[in-house]
Amino acid sequence: MTPLSIDAERLLGRIRTLGSIGRDADGRLVRLAASDTDREGRDRLVAWLEEAGLDVAVDRIGNIFGIWRPAGMEDAAPLMLGSHIDTVIDAGIYDGCYGVLSGLAVIETLKAAGFSPARPLAVAAFTNEEGVRYAPDMMGSLVHAGGLSVEAALATVGTDGTVLGRELERIGYAGGNAPGFLTPHAYVELHIEQGPVLAHEGIAIGAVETLQGISWQKVTIDGKANHAGTTPMAMRQDAGHAAARVVAFLRERARASQTPTVATVGCMAFEPNAINVIPARATFTVDLRDPDEARLREEEAALAAFLDRLAQEEKVAISVERLARFEPVTFDARIVGRIESAARARGLSHRRMTSGAGHDAQMMARIAPAAMIFVPSIAGISHNPAERTEDADLVAGANVLLDVVRAMTAEGASP
Ligand SMILES: [Zn+2]
């Protein structure tokens, strides 16, 4: 293959331009899904897609697609690249936007080079990946993949009382295409790692082979409130102490195992929450993650068994509510191999890895062969204005994506 590279200055300039849209009075970047600032960001993206000569299509959930259909390929399924451009509150400028703008850069580079792909190419910006204003997250790609009906998604009431469908109409992005109208031949998403692994190991490219499963549960422990001074230790039904034992159990179990399991108790509340009263009730969340479904089930079962034992030992009642559950995703081995080959050919260090965060690619993997490419996040920071990736790493990742796309759209190539 003749060496080709994306236009680095144009990509970096666009990332900065998009990152300047949606700054609030305090200078914080906030482009929540279907908000006014999201509209501004979308309008900017659509203008770039049009300048690149792509067909722009918007579906009913507001997903934006820029499509390059060479003549004679009207009905062929495209190789799709993409991510999202909505943000969290006080966001960094790379999360999501980097993948969308790199996808566009790859298509522009191939068009300009006179490359003739064996199938169409498309770049997607999925609605509401972050899930800050409307739950669940990864909503646009979930709807696209058929995992949630568009009617249910559009009826979602946001944290600010707005209805997503009406907000999409208001900002002009309630499109006419049925969700899933564009089924990809394969899907590749380039993203910042949002974790410390690549930066810590000094590796340029992550070939993401799995995305870990997530189990969210809410645990409620009921004991008995009583006087902190007069109740002997042996006679207490202390919901707070029982909760603390769960925190310690999860951490010790995860640390002792040689597996990538991670366990977190991130929220906890006591009632009545007073210095001199034994807690009557403790409620807390449990976040369990693992790239292996069997092991994730084992961890859930181990927690359930511990809670049974705990209820007897501490003389408390324990109930558990499931809040969310996503199975781990195994990405397409052929695409993962192509990412490794592309990195190797460019002399870039690389490793296989698991994604610790959720991404649109996990939804797209339900309907097409999919994989992800990660680039290092400095200090592993994301969802924070300090989120950063070195320019050289951003450009290297986009060029690996370019090479992967060339290989996947060469005549006769499988995904
Ligand atoms: Zn993202």
Side-chain angles (χ1 to χ4, degrees), residues 85-297:
I85 64 165
D86 68 312
T87 74
V88 295
I89 295 167
D90 204 10
I93 67 172
Y94 303 103
D95 180 0
C97 302
Y98 170 53
V100 174
L101 296 174
S102 295
L104 170 58
V106 164
I107 297 176
E108 284 174 317
T109 305
L110 293 175
K111 281 187 83 174
F115 180 75
S116 43
R119 58 185 62 87
L121 283 166
V123 56
F126 292 106
T127 296
N128 189 32
E129 193 272 346
E130 296 292 1
V132 175
R133 193 178 180 205
Y134 302 99
D137 51 3
M138 296 169 278
M139 186 187 272
S141 49
L142 180 63
V143 169
H144 189 90
L148 173 67
S149 79
V150 67
E151 289 76 19
L154 292 174
T156 306
V157 177
T159 51
D160 54 2
T162 56
V163 176
L164 175 58
R166 278 190 224 130
E167 285 291 277
L168 282 172
E169 276 169 35
R170 189 181 65 80
I171 68 163
Y173 282 91
N177 290 290
F181 78 101
L182 196 64
T183 304
H185 175 259
Y187 177 81
V188 186
E189 181 165 350
L190 173 63
H191 207 284
I192 56 168
E193 183 198 336
Q194 303 180 281
V197 175
L198 292 174
H200 183 73
E201 295 181 1
I203 290 175
I205 297 292
V208 185
E209 56 180 350
T210 51
L211 188 145
Q212 62 187 355
I214 300 180
S215 162
W216 279 1
Q217 300 176 73
K218 182 176 156 192
V219 181
T220 303
I221 302 183
D222 282 301
K224 200 166 190 179
N226 211 336
H227 197 293
T230 60
T231 316
M233 296 309 286
M235 294 175 67
R236 298 180 177 213
Q237 292 165 265
D238 184 339
H241 176 249
R245 285 187 61 189
V246 180
V247 176
F249 167 80
L250 288 168
R251 183 179 171 87
E252 279 157 21
R253 183 177 164 86
R255 289 206 68 173
S257 82
Q258 299 304 308
T259 67
T261 309
V262 284
T264 307
V265 174
C267 299
M268 186 178 288
F270 289 166
E271 291 173 35
N273 203 33
I275 190 167
N276 56 357
V277 181
I278 297 163
R281 168 173 279 195
T283 47
F284 56 94
T285 54
V286 176
D287 174 318
L288 287 170
R289 304 190 194 208
D290 196 291
D292 182 81
E293 175 63 18
R295 217 161 42 218
L296 189 55
R297 284 192 196 157

Side-chain angles (χ1 to χ4, degrees), residues 354-372:
T354 290
S355 172
H359 292 289
D360 292 309
Q362 88 190 68
M363 301 308 171
M364 300 307 283
R366 297 179 177 195
I367 56 169
M372 296 189 73

